[in-house]
Amino acid sequence: MALRFYNTLPGKVEEFHPLENNQVRMYACGPTVYDYGHIGNFRTFVAIDILCRFLRQSGYKVRYVMNITDVDDKIIRNSARDGVSVKQYTEKYEKAFLEDSATLNIEQPTLVRATDHIPEMAEFVVALEKKGFAYRAEDGSYYFRIAKFPGYGKLSKKDFAGMEDGARVDLDEYDKDSARDFALWKAPKPGEAFWETPIGRGRPGWHIECSVMSMEELGETFDLHAGGEDLIFPHHENEIAQSEALTGKPFAHFWFHARFLLVEGEKMSKSLGNFLTLRDLVLKGYKPSSIRLLLASVPYRHQLNFTFDGLKQMASNVDKLRNFQLRLTAAQLPAGVNGEIQQLANEAVEKMRSALEDDLNTAQAQAAILDMVRKANAALDNGLIKKDDVPPLLAALERFDDIFAVLKDDDAPKMKAILDWAKAHDRQKDISQGLLDAVGSQSVSDVEIENKVAAMEAARRARNFQLSDAVRAELTSAGLIIEQTKDGIRWRRK
RNA sequence: GGCGCGGUACCCAAGUGGUAAGGGAGAGGUCUGCAAAACCUUUAUACGUCGGUUCGAUUCCGACCCGCGCCUCCA
């Protein structure tokens, strides 16, 4: 079996094969850096991250490029409002985006920025104009002539032939040939930021950056183009039109789109007051690993209902996995091997693989590993696991984590960073007790903890339970979890 | 209006033409100085409603109800 996933272009699930045997070239539409990223943005980027990780796990070499849109109307407006340059304005949010992505263990792709490619965009417009696909309007803007590109609408399945122009013409755009024609290049209005280019002053239209940068990085035809579902139209439709008009070749072969999420059953929007950034969630005390697992655990084509209850559930799942890993590595086991356990691990790996190959069914993959963990825990309780059974079980866990990336327990330092950010940005009022608890143990060093734990254990062995419990209480209130097991004391940060 | 997606237990959420993964929560239990962790048992005669196809449908078809998305730069 090979990976199958939904390709928006033909509108069905297809087997994925790259153009060049083992090499995948993929491009994702990244964020417009005008504000802090919200949880919906990250649903998309986690979905694409999972796709990329699974392609690598399946043996492909992946060249993954993502753009940063660092110029658009909103950015120009907001930077002017704040009295800073476009660059100054976007740098802050780009940095935040990269930090947030790292917080969610999203692997960083090769990044390309729109403002670093302005000359190439101007050239692109010139080339389109030569071919008759672009025209200049009176104000110096350039538009793409949709009527000249017969395939227009093939991605979004829209039939523009029968549509009448006129109903929704923007007053600013009276000099377009057709209302549907989209801007390749925008002439500046008075006071607006602009770039000086051979086609005049102005700024790029929204879509052109992706055509220019993806082809520059990946070639005129590449394997995979990804983004949020809202980008299907008009963004990706327009990218296809521009790119294929210019090259006469197919642009991207596979189109991958992640669905929007809901927050507590409702569309996320500022007016509903359920607009959540990653930082908001961490300030409320939720862990990055819980957030990532929740974003990852509903298949990308399903509407994910993002809830606080779901976040708590995911925290349990993460703990279950981490506890199992700790238990397995710490366990003192008899030598030998139990064939059934080997088989259990192999089956889990196989189930995860086939689930992910089937349109990236992350829910099933997660179920497979949790099922294995439950059975292996039971076997551990019953003394049925031998020393040589440990590596395959750990390997299955790692195979899961190659994709889901939640096992490593580094939530506390990540949350600490966001706590510090909040303090520095006048958001003290949003800092929850939960966050303080989660971060609390960061102020205690491992050595200090080890010493306390040893003291507690000594007291316990001396059957001085009063002292032992007192030390436990102290550690607990410092944000630590202490567990006594038959293999010794185990502690971790909350 | 056009195109598309979904409605599964208390909650989240997979899935299949032959009678429902996984997780959470609840209840009971095992283990345990305490506390955890872990495990076991238990919680859908039933998969929005009504028809149809079929030996048999939650799974296919049709209608309807409800929710959601895109259709002017929101991931």
Side-chain angles (χ1 to χ4, degrees), chain A residues 28-60:
Chain A
C29 288
T32 301
V33 282
Y34 67 95
D35 203 348
Y36 291 103
H38 57 70
I39 204 66
N41 296 117
F42 289 110
R43 199 258 165 127
T44 296
F45 299 129
V46 166
I48 298 170
D49 183 55
I50 282 172
L51 169 65
C52 181
R53 284 167 177 265
F54 186 61
L55 286 167
R56 292 210 174 99
Q57 188 176 78
S58 303
Y60 292 111

Side-chain angles (χ1 to χ4, degrees), chain A residues 235-295:
Chain A
H235 185 52
H236 288 162
E237 194 70 60
N238 291 351
E239 280 186 50
I240 291 174
Q242 293 166 349
S243 307
E244 298 191 351
L246 186 73
T247 66
K249 297 172 189 166
F251 184 43
H253 275 196
F254 284 82
W255 290 84
F256 176 94
H257 292 102
R259 249 200 119 171
F260 272 14
L261 53 66
L262 260 34
V263 171
E264 299 288 346
E266 288 181 303
K267 184 184 165 101
M268 181 171 68
S269 72
K270 285 182 176 161
S271 60
L272 281 172
N274 63 357
F275 194 88
L276 297 169
T277 66
L278 175 68
R279 291 168 194 234
D280 292 334
L281 289 166
V282 172
L283 290 177
K284 284 177 193 292
Y286 296 101
K287 295 179 180 185
S289 57
S290 306
I291 299 168
R292 174 163 173 115
L293 193 58
L294 181 56
L295 293 176

Side-chain angles (χ1 to χ4, degrees), chain A residues 85-200:
Chain A
S85 70
V86 165
K87 186 92 184 152
Q88 284 169 323
Y89 182 80
T90 57
E91 263 173 353
K92 172 180 165 190
Y93 293 112
E94 178 181 321
K95 180 166 173 282
F97 170 73
L98 296 176
E99 286 168 359
D100 289 351
S101 295
T103 297
L104 289 173
N105 289 348
I106 293 170
E107 288 179 354
Q108 194 182 101
T110 301
L111 298 171
V112 290
R113 292 167 192 81
T115 56
D116 292 336
H117 297 77
I118 303 285
E120 296 96 303
M121 294 188 216
E123 285 169 29
F124 195 99
V125 173
V126 169
L128 277 177
E129 190 181 25
K130 275 186 188 147
K131 288 196 154 196
F133 286 103
Y135 59 91
R136 186 174 191 278
E138 268 179 42
D139 69 346
S141 295
Y142 282 81
Y143 293 96
F144 184 88
R145 198 185 312 277
I146 284 173
K148 189 131 194 299
F149 186 75
Y152 197 72
K154 66 183 176 184
L155 183 72
S156 54
K157 313 285 180 285
K158 291 179 192 304
D159 181 9
F160 291 94
M163 282 194 187
E164 290 291 316
D165 282 347
R168 292 171 136 183
V169 180
D170 186 327
L171 285 177
D172 292 342
E173 295 170 346
Y174 56 88
D175 54 356
K176 288 198 286 188
D177 284 5
S178 158
R180 289 276 169 190
D181 287 355
F182 58 88
L184 294 162
W185 184 258
K186 295 183 174 187
K189 289 173 189 148
E192 286 183 345
F194 61 83
W195 279 259
E196 201 77 66
T197 74
I199 56 170

Side-chain angles (χ1 to χ4, degrees), chain A residues 16 129 138 169 195 241 261-262 340 360 388 404 430 433 465 492:
Chain A
F16 175 77
E129 190 181 25
E138 268 179 42
V169 180
W195 279 259
L261 53 66
L262 260 34
E340 285 182 29
L360 295 169
D388 292 341
F404 288 86
D430 296 319
Q433 190 57 45
F465 297 126
R492 56 199 162 91

